């Protein structure tokens, strides 16, 4: 039997905690397989955590918690094909730096790089893109340990059904031990960030979507202020922000000062509209170009809780107008901007963008603030539009709802029943979303 643990685990936001029955740090795929077999013999569940950047309980391990830190090796890099195989515990930050050293890059990514590659993939992490989709669409093959302790690889050619299900599998089909990424030659991005008024942004979303490889925007609640971001490839040379400007914008204003403002609004919610107005008016335009991952990602030190829904792209503008109207009807005082991103359709069964071009609407609150009423109101709006919740971000949906918005949900459940009938990889979150 594995040793008993008294070690408490919690996620980055601090809203998920667990004291697992035991903790292990495997250093190879075989050691993961051995841990799964021992867990089965002991009647325990088993899950490998990432870095805890999911706000849901996706990473909660009640039985055996496998730390990812012992499996962070780069197994192979093929610059001719762009295929790169790394172990599950490698962070996106380390992956990005390694790829850059070899003249390679991910075609698209989200806005932080602190997660492990497996954790980010299993929750269908995405960025914003007209043509380039999320992480699940950039995977060539997976290596994983199944509930019986066997190791299997899958790709479009080998075990394709498992590949389509497991790319965004929320850890419910097995423990991902290695990922082969399909990368592209390294590239520079030119970033154009521009403040803009609400009506202009909504009136030009289709234009911005069509004209830019990567478009997103933020709206500051209680104001007309938005910040638009347009990122497109450029031949260079790179023209990054000067060191002081980068520190001022991305470290001091976006993190240090923003933390201070949130502490104020936490104690005095009534000042939130005024401070949001100040923040929106203080935004300045900036243009710079740099290595792609340095443009895609930004430091995030202010802790928060988040909910994000993917809705059909054609529903975006009316949904945003109704969301703003909700602020007029509800007593919400929200200090965090609302983030809007776009993505082409994907084919991983549980990708939020499966089978349809999608718009993503993300809402946040300071980690010390109550989120239930705000997130509940937004969720009601998004689910009325057939919205799909991000697997790693807070929501209240269960299997009875999710099976209505994911066309392959029943096939995923059938495959799970076949591969893990005893629910070796279950936890409270998988029981909620998959209906155990």
């Amino acid at each position: 039997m594995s040793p008993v643990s008294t070690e408490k685990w919690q996620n980055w936001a601090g809203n998920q905690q667990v004291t697992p029955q035991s903790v292990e740090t495997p250093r190879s795929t075989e050691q993961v397989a051995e841990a799964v077999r021992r867990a089965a013999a002991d009647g325990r569940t088993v899950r490998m955590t990432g870095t805890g950047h999911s706000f849901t309980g996706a990473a909660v391990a009640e039985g055996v918690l496998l730390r990812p830190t012992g499996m962070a090796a780069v197994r192979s890099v093929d610059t001719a094909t762009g295929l790169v195989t790394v172990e599950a515990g490698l962070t996106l930050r380390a992956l990005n730096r390694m790829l850059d050293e070899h003249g390679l890059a991910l075609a698209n990514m989200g806005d932080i790089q602190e997660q492990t590659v497996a954790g980010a993939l299993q929750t269908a992490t995405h960025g914003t893109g007209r043509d380039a989709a999320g992480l699940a669409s950039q995977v060539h093959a997976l290596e994983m340990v199944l509930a019986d302790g066997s190791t299997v690889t899958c790709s479009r050619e080998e075990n394709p059904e498992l590949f389509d299900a497991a790319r965004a599998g929320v850890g419910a089909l097995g423990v991902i031990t290695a990922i082969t990424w399909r990368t592209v030659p390294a590239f520079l991005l030119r970033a154009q960030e521009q403040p803009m008024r609400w009506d202009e942004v909504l009136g030009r979303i289709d234009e911005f979507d069509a004209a830019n490889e990567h478009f997103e925007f933020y709206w500051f609640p209680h104001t007309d202020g938005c910040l638009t971001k347009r990122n497109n490839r450029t031949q260079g040379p790179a023209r990054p922000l000067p060191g002081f400007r980068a520190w001022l914008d991305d470290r001091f204003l976006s993190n240090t000062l923003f933390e201070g403002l949130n502490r104020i609004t936490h104690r005095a919610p009534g000042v939130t509209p005024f401070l949001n107005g100040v923040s929106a008016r203080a935004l300045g335009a900036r243009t710079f170009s740099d290595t792609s991952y340095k443009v895609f990602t930004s430091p995030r030190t202010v802790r928060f809780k988040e909910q994000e829904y993917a809705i059909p792209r054609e529903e975006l503008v009316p949904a945003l107008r109704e969301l703003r109207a909700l602020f007029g009807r509800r007593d919400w005082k929200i200090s965090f901007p609302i983030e809007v991103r776009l993505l082409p359709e994907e084919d991983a069964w549980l990708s939020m963008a499966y089978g349809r071009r999608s718009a993503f609407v993300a809402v946040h609150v300071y980690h010390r603030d109550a989120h239930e009423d705000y997130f509940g109101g937004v969720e009601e709006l998004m689910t009325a539009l057939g919205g799909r919740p991000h697997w790693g971000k807070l929501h209240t949906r269960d299997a009875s709802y999710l099976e209505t918005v994911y066309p392959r949900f029943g096939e995923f459940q059938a495959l799970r029943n076949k591969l893990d009938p005893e629910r070796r990889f279950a936890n409270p979150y998988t029981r909620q979303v998959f209906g155990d």
Side-chain angles (χ1 to χ4, degrees):
M1 179 177 288
S2 302
V4 175
S5 169
T6 58
E7 177 181 328
K8 181 180 177 180
W9 175 92
Q10 72 174 23
N11 65 344
W12 177 79
N15 68 310
Q16 303 286 346
Q17 302 92 22
V18 70
T19 300
Q21 293 174 312
S22 65
V23 177
E24 300 183 33
T25 306
R27 301 190 179 280
S28 67
T29 299
E30 181 52 37
Q31 287 185 10
V32 172
E34 290 173 2
V36 171
R37 288 191 287 267
R38 280 197 304 273
D42 296 343
R44 295 178 175 180
T45 57
V46 56
R47 290 183 73 83
M48 181 180 280
T49 63
T51 55
H53 273 270
S54 287
F55 303 91
T56 63
V60 167
E62 300 169 301
V64 181
L65 183 154
L66 300 182
R67 292 193 190 98
T69 51
M71 297 189 66
V74 177
R75 292 189 181 176
S76 65
V77 178
D78 188 333
T79 55
T81 63
L83 297 180
V84 175
T85 301
V86 301
E87 291 182 338
L90 190 73
T91 64
L92 285 171
R93 180 184 301 278
L95 174 66
N96 284 327
R97 290 176 176 174
M98 180 274 294
L99 292 178
D100 192 46
E101 291 171 358
H102 288 87
L104 300 170
L106 293 174
N108 195 5
M109 47 179 317
D111 57 7
I112 64 169
Q113 53 178 342
E114 312 308 320
Q115 313 102 308
T116 62
V117 292
L121 178 65
Q122 286 298 279
T123 51
T125 296
H126 63 93
T128 189
R130 180 190 60 200
D131 309 307
L135 293 184
S137 294
Q138 300 176 65
V139 175
H140 175 77
L142 296 174
E143 176 189 271
M144 55 193 300
V145 173
L146 302 180
D148 62 1
S150 64
T151 300
V152 65
T153 58
C154 58
S155 65
R156 294 189 188 279
E157 294 75 33
E158 182 180 7
N159 298 313
E161 184 181 62
L162 178 59
F163 181 69
D164 286 341
R167 275 181 287 157
V170 201
L173 300 179
V175 178
I176 304 296
T177 50
I179 301 170
T180 299
W181 297 98
R182 187 175 63 252
T183 67
V184 299
F187 59 99
L188 299 176
L189 281 176
R190 181 174 184 266
Q192 294 175 275
E193 300 181 3
Q194 181 182 358
M196 201 170 290
R197 309 297 286 178
W198 166 270
D199 286 336
E200 182 178 4
V201 175
L202 266 60
R204 299 179 65 186
I205 282 181
D206 291 346
E207 171 196 338
F208 292 143
D209 186 8
N212 296 281
E213 293 175 84
H214 308 276
F215 169 71
E216 64 183 307
F217 76 93
Y218 296 82
W219 170 54
F220 290 80
H222 316 292
T223 80
D224 278 324
C226 299
L227 177 66
T228 60
K229 294 188 174 185
R230 288 169 278 178
N231 297 332
N232 293 282
R233 294 190 182 214
T234 180
Q235 294 301 309
R239 300 185 186 279
L241 289 171
F244 177 75
R245 178 70 187 275
W247 172 85
L248 179 66
D249 289 357
D250 297 332
R251 295 286 181 178
F252 181 72
L253 295 178
S254 296
N255 287 288
T256 305
L257 181 59
F258 191 53
E259 172 74 33
L261 293 177
N262 275 280
R263 290 183 180 183
I264 293 172
T265 57
H266 175 69
R267 296 187 181 95
V271 304
T272 301
F274 170 75
L275 291 180
N276 280 13
V278 172
S279 297
R281 289 191 296 273
L283 292 172
R286 63 180 190 172
T287 301
F288 60 96
S289 59
D290 210 336
T291 306
S292 58
Y293 77 87
K294 295 179 182 178
V295 175
F296 283 137
T297 64
S298 302
R300 292 285 184 268
T301 61
V302 180
R303 295 182 188 266
F304 55 86
K305 294 174 285 186
E306 181 177 1
Q307 174 181 272
E308 183 174 40
Y309 265 83
I311 59 175
R313 170 65 180 84
E314 62 272 15
E315 300 285 359
L316 176 59
V317 171
L320 291 176
R321 294 195 187 282
E322 178 58 23
L323 176 55
R324 185 168 185 179
L326 280 176
F327 275 84
R329 300 195 296 267
R330 307 288 283 266
D331 187 30
W332 295 338
K333 298 293 186 291
I334 304 301
S335 59
F336 268 75
I338 292 172
E339 181 181 24
V340 178
R341 293 180 287 179
L342 309 170
L343 210 68
E345 69 176 65
E346 298 194 292
D347 62 358
W349 289 356
L350 296 189
S351 162
M352 288 81 73
Y354 176 83
R356 68 188 189 195
R357 183 157 175 77
S358 299
F360 291 77
V361 180
V363 295
H364 315 68
V365 299
Y366 188 50
H367 71 107
R368 296 177 179 174
D369 291 347
H371 67 274
E372 289 82 1
D373 186 59
Y374 178 41
F375 284 10
V378 175
E379 186 171 51
E380 183 178 355
L381 168 61
M382 297 299 163
T383 54
L385 301 172
R388 298 167 179 164
H390 192 298
W391 298 107
K393 300 177 184 181
L394 291 172
H395 67 91
T396 66
R397 299 299 92 185
D398 60 17
S400 64
Y401 172 82
L402 294 169
E403 67 182 2
T404 69
V405 293
Y406 281 100
R408 311 298 288 272
F409 195 78
E411 292 169 75
F412 182 94
Q413 289 177 307
L415 184 60
R416 184 172 179 238
N417 289 337
K418 175 183 176 182
L419 295 177
D420 187 14
E422 296 182 354
R423 300 297 188 255
R424 189 64 49 214
F425 304 117
N427 71 359
Y429 184 63
T430 66
R431 289 190 278 272
Q432 170 193 333
V433 297
F434 297 127
D436 294 341

